[in-house]
Amino acid sequence: MKTTFRHCLFAIVAASVLAVAAYAQETFHNPAFETDDEFGKAFAQGRNLLRQGKLDDAIKELTRAAKLKDNQCVDCFTLIGQSYMQLNKYKEAAAAYRQGAELATPKQGELYNLAGVAFYFADEKSLYPEAAAMFKRSIETSEGKILQAYYNLGYALIRGGKADEGVAALKTYLEKNPQAAEVEAVRAVIANPKLASARFAMPFKVTAATGEDLALDKLKGKVVLLDFWASWCGPCRAEMPAVKRIWEKYQKDNFVIIGVNLDNNRKAFDQYVAQEGVLWPQFYDGKGWNNRIAQLYDVHAIPATFLIDQQGIIRATGLRGSRLYDKIGELLKEKAK
């Protein structure tokens, strides 16, 4: 699935997205569909169009293929749902996934979960009950094996006005999956269901360029600025004096900057940091755009900033200069009240 889905909560349905991606890959390479009849040709054409990003055309061919099978083609509806998701047509995606789920398939639980995800992503209050119904069906048909469905159900119920039921679902999720990456975020929502609409920062634990551990979870109670940059990036270099001013102003408060460097040349990185007197922690792994944290936060352009409050919620992105400076001061005052 494409990363454009991350405009919603960072943590929400991560496992679901991976599940449909894996399922789609199975379908792409399934020799059972490599036939010379009209259905096989339509399905292959639709699949190839999807690979090429020609989504509207893919939907037309896959819909034709499904009709040739009397609408009994689970894989057709799966790929139709995927295509609609990439087009951000969430209601249509939900209908396709649900139609596939209602057929006899070992993937029934996954498809009901994905139908719920699509309804949830539509971000309409009237559709949260529909999303919750799909997540419940996912749990029922998978006999509780799709743990992410409990998590998704909790959020859908809370967003739909059923906070007590949603909290109960999230508690069940933690009981069944105590090592989940989003444990802290879920606990926060259980304590305060209003946070269900918040965008929690994805946790990470890495080693800074100077050797110390950097773990976002250990910075709770502080305002954190994630600053993505590179020495070769002209706008990043132009912005560096403003970042230094922020550090000088707030470094003694409950505030920390974590620089995330996208250089792939360690010498260039070290020289720039020394030359500019950059004193705050930096994460460098030499992988450029494939930097671990950059991938986690879906960063495709720099400079990029993520401002995280004391509860681990992303409060602002993309701020620079005086706007960033003022917003940090505002968040620090919130904690002081």
Side-chain angles (χ1 to χ4, degrees), residues 65-87:
K67 288 181 179 178
L68 290 168
K69 287 289 185 179
D70 297 322
N71 288 326
Q72 299 297 302
C73 178
V74 174
D75 296 277
C76 295
F77 292 121
T78 300
L79 295 184
I80 290 169
Q82 183 187 359
S83 301
Y84 276 127
M85 287 290 276
Q86 293 189 34
L87 288 168

Side-chain angles (χ1 to χ4, degrees), residues 33-45 47 65 68:
F33 294 100
E34 295 177 3
T35 59
D36 291 329
D37 60 4
E38 191 174 356
F39 162 76
K41 291 177 181 178
F43 184 87
Q45 177 68 359
R47 182 178 57 184
L68 290 168

Side-chain angles (χ1 to χ4, degrees), residues 205-208 211-215 218:
K205 184 177 181 180
V206 297
T207 302
E212 70 267 29
D213 290 335
L214 293 175
K218 292 184 178 180

Side-chain angles (χ1 to χ4, degrees), residues 17 20 32-33 40 58 61 91 101-102 111 115 134 159 167 171 189 220 230 250 267 306 325 336:
V17 172
V20 74
F33 294 100
E61 280 300 303
K91 295 178 187 178
E102 290 172 352
L111 288 171
M134 293 297 98
R159 296 290 295 276
V167 166
K171 287 180 177 178
V189 172
K220 288 289 178 65
Y250 296 117
K267 184 177 180 180
F306 291 76
Y325 182 95

Side-chain angles (χ1 to χ4, degrees), residues 149-151 153-155 157 164-174:
Y150 290 99
Y151 174 73
L153 175 61
Y155 274 86
L157 287 168
D164 291 342
E165 291 181 42
V167 166
L170 292 178
K171 287 180 177 178
T172 300
Y173 174 69
L174 291 186

